[in-house]
Amino acid sequence: MKEQSRRAFVKSSVVAGLGASLPVSAAKTLFVHHVYFYLKNPNSADDKAKLLEGLNKLAKVPTIKFVHIGTPATTNRDVIVRDYSISWLCFFDSLEEEEVYQKHPIHLKFVKDYSSLWEKVAVYDSVGPKR
Amino acid sequence: MKEQSRRAFVKSSVVAGLGASLPVSAAKTLFVHHVYFYLKNPNSADDKAKLLEGLNKLAKVPTIKFVHIGTPATTNRDVIVRDYSISWLCFFDSLEEEEVYQKHPIHLKFVKDYSSLWEKVAVYDSVGPKR
């Protein structure tokens, strides 16, 4: 993407953010937040169940437009990363709505109650037009 | 997830795969395929535009149920990975439908025509129930 196009794109994302009160279908941008959790005890079924319990509570943050909780698939090629325990994918209508999620009491309580379970997280935030 | 639950889950995924001709809403599993592309020339607007062109062609593989093409968001915390150039996210109804995508002529042509642009890809495949 050319720098000029990128700036125009960023600008349109901001505009989409301002239009957060419009119906979902009117939003032009999709903000994809994908988190891969690495448990301290990856072989503990109890710890995995606890994290899933926490994520199911976290899914209630109201700005989340779509959520998917997964585990590594059985696909196994060289390029595939499969050492994480849990995948947490959510969609937001804008950067601003993701910021609301980050600061939401449900999210803060999730981090407080469950962060002792994981060793690290790898987070990928990406934005692009809705198709 | 306990091993027994995991096996039951894998089994239910296979069943969902066999039911590929059912309406989408009847499928129980979502297969999430997320690819992060690292360009050989990350500062080349031309190379980025070429890859986007290729991905827009790739999006036509018929087993893809949803697709999103993005670039790293402006969010910038320690845990956020933002050194990739392009995020390619797609959903499939099953592992089997993702395998169809991998072998589809459109995908093979995409790899042939565009793989010279990237240095590496990081692929995360994860499966979990539809909510």
Side-chain angles (χ1 to χ4, degrees):
Chain A
M1 196 182 284
K2 285 181 183 160
E3 185 54 29
Q4 198 172 7
S5 310
R6 205 189 62 85
R7 278 201 299 270
F9 176 69
V10 169
K11 193 176 165 193
S12 73
S13 305
V14 172
V15 171
L18 293 173
S21 59
L22 294 171
V24 172
S25 60
K28 299 285 198 306
T29 296
L30 187 65
F31 186 108
V32 174
H33 176 65
H34 208 156
V35 182
Y36 304 97
F37 288 92
Y38 290 76
L39 289 173
K40 279 182 194 158
N41 304 305
N43 298 320
S44 163
D46 281 354
D47 282 11
K48 202 179 276 190
K50 265 185 229 162
L51 181 55
L52 288 171
E53 170 198 273
L55 290 171
N56 278 297
K57 291 180 197 168
L58 182 59
K60 299 191 195 310
V61 175
T63 55
I64 296 175
K65 289 300 183 296
F66 168 87
V67 68
H68 179 260
I69 303 172
T71 52
T74 52
T75 47
N76 199 359
R77 304 188 304 281
D78 279 355
V79 292
I80 299 180
V81 183
R82 49 199 320 278
D83 57 350
Y84 60 97
S85 300
I86 304 277
S87 149
W88 165 254
L89 170 67
C90 31
F91 291 174
F92 299 92
D93 276 343
S94 65
L95 172 69
E96 290 74 10
E97 299 223 335
E98 204 268 341
E99 285 171 348
V100 170
Y101 157 82
Q102 288 292 339
K103 295 169 189 166
H104 196 281
I106 294 174
H107 188 257
L108 300 180
K109 185 167 165 51
F110 167 77
V111 173
K112 181 174 164 288
D113 291 350
Y114 297 95
S115 61
S116 63
L117 294 171
W118 62 81
E119 180 178 88
K120 72 162 184 168
V121 290
V123 180
Y124 293 77
D125 284 345
S126 53
V127 286
K130 280 196 178 174
R131 300 172 71 94
Chain B
M1 198 181 282
K2 287 183 184 159
E3 185 53 30
Q4 198 173 8
S5 310
R6 205 189 65 83
R7 277 201 300 270
F9 177 68
V10 168
K11 193 177 165 192
S12 73
S13 305
V14 171
V15 172
L18 293 172
S21 59
L22 295 171
V24 173
S25 60
K28 298 283 196 306
T29 297
L30 188 65
F31 186 107
V32 173
H33 176 64
H34 208 155
V35 183
Y36 304 97
F37 287 92
Y38 290 77
L39 290 173
K40 278 181 194 157
N41 304 306
N43 298 320
S44 163
D46 281 354
D47 282 11
K48 202 179 277 191
K50 264 185 228 164
L51 180 54
L52 287 171
E53 170 197 273
L55 290 172
N56 278 297
K57 290 180 197 169
L58 183 58
K60 298 192 196 309
V61 175
T63 55
I64 296 175
K65 289 298 181 298
F66 169 86
V67 67
H68 179 259
I69 302 172
T71 52
T74 52
T75 46
N76 198 359
R77 303 187 306 281
D78 279 354
V79 292
I80 299 180
V81 182
R82 51 198 320 280
D83 57 349
Y84 61 96
S85 299
I86 303 278
S87 149
W88 165 253
L89 170 67
C90 31
F91 291 173
F92 298 93
D93 275 343
S94 65
L95 171 70
E96 290 74 11
E97 298 222 336
E98 204 267 343
E99 284 171 347
V100 169
Y101 156 82
Q102 289 292 339
K103 295 169 188 166
H104 195 281
I106 294 174
H107 188 257
L108 300 179
K109 186 167 164 53
F110 166 77
V111 173
K112 180 172 165 288
D113 292 350
Y114 297 95
S115 61
S116 63
L117 295 171
W118 63 81
E119 180 178 87
K120 72 162 183 167
V121 289
V123 180
Y124 292 77
D125 284 344
S126 52
V127 287
K130 280 197 177 172
R131 299 172 70 95

